[in-house]
């Protein structure tokens, strides 16, 4: 017996999988659902690094992940990941810059990131295949500079 793979069946299966992942954000309120449901929802949208992430961050990631994954491999996808991470850490006003150099992505930071593993867990799914992320913290001010008030 011989099997043939129809491209129409692949398109239908692909569309169904995409709808299943995208539908989670539309039909589930991740901010009000039980925390026991979060691991299931995380795997449903394709985010498998949820074990060490705080529940409030995980809820934010699950709600945004279907939209982030659509931009996989793009500069705007990386920027959106960083913006989501900054919003979680209440540092929306932090400046950053992204540069591509051969096979790695350099993220230049204005100040140090807290709980950076959350950002790295998200970026793992978004950065282009074969690339890795490097953080340039040379522009971060020292604690002494941050704690000394400016003279007027």
């Amino acid at each position: 017996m011989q099997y043939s793979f129809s491209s129409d069946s692949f398109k239908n299966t692909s569309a169904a999988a995409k709808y299943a992942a995208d539908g989670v954000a539309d039909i589930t309120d991740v901010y009000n659902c039980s925390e026991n449901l979060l691991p299931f929802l995380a795997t449903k949208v394709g985010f498998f690094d949820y074990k060490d992430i705080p529940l409030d961050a995980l809820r934010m990631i699950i709600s945004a992940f279907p939209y982030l994954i659509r931009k996989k491999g793009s500069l705007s996808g990386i920027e959106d990941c960083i913006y989501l991470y900054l919003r979680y850490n209440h540092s929306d006003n932090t400046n950053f810059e992204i540069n591509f150099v051969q096979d790695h992505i350099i993220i230049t930071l204005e100040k140090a990131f807290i709980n950076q593993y959350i950002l790295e867990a998200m970026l793992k799914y978004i950065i282009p295949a074969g690339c890795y992320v490097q953080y340039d913290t040379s522009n971060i001010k020292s604690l002494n500079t941050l704690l000394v008030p400016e003279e007027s």
Side-chain angles (χ1 to χ4, degrees):
M1 177 180 265
Q2 223 177 6
Y3 295 99
S4 65
F5 190 71
S6 167
S7 65
D8 288 338
S9 65
F10 176 74
K11 288 177 186 174
N12 293 338
T13 306
S14 176
K18 182 181 178 315
Y19 176 76
D22 291 350
V24 169
D26 296 334
I27 63 172
T28 308
D29 182 4
V30 296
Y31 293 102
N32 293 319
C33 72
S34 167
E35 66 184 55
N36 296 333
L37 192 57
L38 292 177
F40 167 73
L41 294 174
T43 57
K44 184 79 169 156
V45 297
F47 185 75
F48 299 97
D49 294 319
Y50 57 84
K51 290 183 175 88
D52 296 328
I53 295 181
L55 292 177
D56 53 342
L58 184 58
R59 290 176 191 277
M60 187 180 286
I61 291 169
I62 292 170
S63 67
F65 203 72
Y67 307 104
L68 291 173
I69 204 69
R70 290 180 188 164
K71 297 180 177 182
K72 180 178 177 61
S74 70
L75 179 61
S76 65
I78 296 167
E79 287 175 342
D80 288 351
C81 267
I82 296 172
Y83 284 127
L84 178 69
Y85 171 78
L86 291 175
R87 190 173 64 203
Y88 167 71
N89 280 318
H90 308 291
S91 336
D92 292 349
N93 58 351
T94 301
N95 293 322
F96 64 91
E97 184 179 312
I98 302 171
N99 295 307
F100 287 92
V101 178
Q102 293 177 350
D103 64 344
H104 60 282
I105 300 162
I106 300 173
I107 300 175
T108 306
L109 310 172
E110 179 183 84
K111 61 183 179 181
F113 284 174
I114 302 167
N115 297 333
Q116 193 168 317
Y117 67 93
I118 296 172
L119 175 62
E120 290 171 358
M122 289 189 297
L123 284 175
K124 183 169 94 173
Y125 296 95
I126 305 302
I127 62 172
C131 288
Y132 64 94
V133 176
Q134 176 182 346
Y135 299 95
D136 176 10
T137 55
S138 61
N139 292 334
I140 296 177
K141 297 177 182 177
S142 69
L143 279 177
N144 293 334
T145 306
L146 294 173
L147 296 176
V148 176
E150 292 183 19
E151 295 181 24
S152 12

